[in-house]
Amino acid sequence: MQALTHTQLTELVDSLLEAPGPLTIVQAGDPVLRRPSLPYEGQLGDDRLARLVGALRATMYEAPGVGLAAPQVGIPLRLAVLEDSADVTEAVRDARDRVPQPFRVLVNPVYEPVGDGRAAFFEGCLSVPGWGAVVARHTRVRVRAQDERGRETDEEFAGWPARIVQHETDHLRGTLYLDRAELRSLSAAHRMAERWPQPTPEAAARELGFTLPE
């Protein structure tokens, strides 16, 4: 499919921002989730970008989720937001290295692993509702991006925050978490909550017959 022109992109964003309330989250099967997104190069201007960021943030809260990428609301731009209050039990926090993350805007993010560490945990996605699966990801990554004001950022994320960043940045490449998942672990969300509520997926791996990274 041909990339959107500047005019088409701004018209698309304006049409989505006209509707009251949170934006509609695009579901798996929509082509926008399977195509690499356009680099953000100032196409929207400061005011329109700020309104889009606000709408993404409100939609993420409403869902609720800890991250949301622009393609998930039908906009093919390399833009994502994330925030995590880490409101979980102490056991989950310790096992998953899940710590609170302030609200962040990532524009044109790219990541690279730092070290060889990998960890596997159940993940879900707002664009694949009702399901979860185990995904092995880098435990530490370096992320280069810009913020919503165009300032360059370069920081490392570890543990669960690194997982969120990888998940959202993958969306901008046309990659869903299921592409990286251990498909034998695929579980309906309600069954996952009932059978696999443990902080780590060892029991699921043993009973469903898949291997976790060393």
Side-chain angles (χ1 to χ4, degrees), residues 36-71:
S37 297
L38 298 169
Y40 183 70
E41 299 172 338
Q43 298 98 316
L44 302 183
D46 293 345
D47 179 67
R48 188 181 283 109
L49 176 62
R51 289 190 290 123
L52 176 56
V53 166
L56 288 171
R57 187 177 194 178
T59 304
M60 177 179 66
Y61 290 166
E62 177 72 17
V66 296
L68 189 67

Side-chain angles (χ1 to χ4, degrees), residues 139-193:
T139 56
R140 183 178 291 273
V141 293
R142 179 182 182 183
V143 180
R144 296 181 178 89
Q146 295 91 45
D147 66 13
E148 64 273 32
R149 298 180 181 177
R151 297 174 298 196
E152 297 291 332
T153 62
D154 185 342
E155 57 184 316
E156 290 189 10
F157 293 81
W160 202 260
R163 181 170 294 268
I164 296 171
V165 167
Q166 290 170 81
H167 181 115
E168 300 307 329
T169 302
D170 279 355
H171 271 302
L172 309 181
R173 302 169 174 172
T175 299
L176 295 177
Y177 85 101
L178 290 175
D179 300 328
R180 302 187 184 278
E182 170 52 67
L183 290 183
R184 290 185 70 93
S185 71
L186 185 65
S187 303
H190 70 283
R191 296 298 289 158
M192 187 172 65

Side-chain angles (χ1 to χ4, degrees), residues 28 31 81 84-85 105 110 113 137 154 200 204:
V81 298
D84 186 13
S85 64
V105 179
V110 293
R137 292 196 184 270
D154 185 342
T200 59

Side-chain angles (χ1 to χ4, degrees), residues 38-131:
L38 298 169
Y40 183 70
E41 299 172 338
Q43 298 98 316
L44 302 183
D46 293 345
D47 179 67
R48 188 181 283 109
L49 176 62
R51 289 190 290 123
L52 176 56
V53 166
L56 288 171
R57 187 177 194 178
T59 304
M60 177 179 66
Y61 290 166
E62 177 72 17
V66 296
L68 189 67
Q72 290 183 272
V73 296
I75 300 172
L77 277 178
R78 295 182 188 172
L79 168 67
V81 298
L82 62 90
E83 182 175 354
D84 186 13
S85 64
D87 184 17
V88 294
T89 66
E90 183 177 355
V92 169
R93 183 176 64 246
D94 291 346
R96 301 178 184 177
D97 194 13
R98 186 167 177 177
V99 296
Q101 289 297 297
F103 179 73
R104 280 187 175 85
V105 179
L106 300 177
V107 178
N108 300 325
V110 293
Y111 69 79
E112 61 186 40
V114 177
D116 298 325
R118 292 176 68 81
F121 294 103
F122 274 102
E123 276 185 36
C125 180
L126 297 177
S127 291
V128 191
W131 297 91

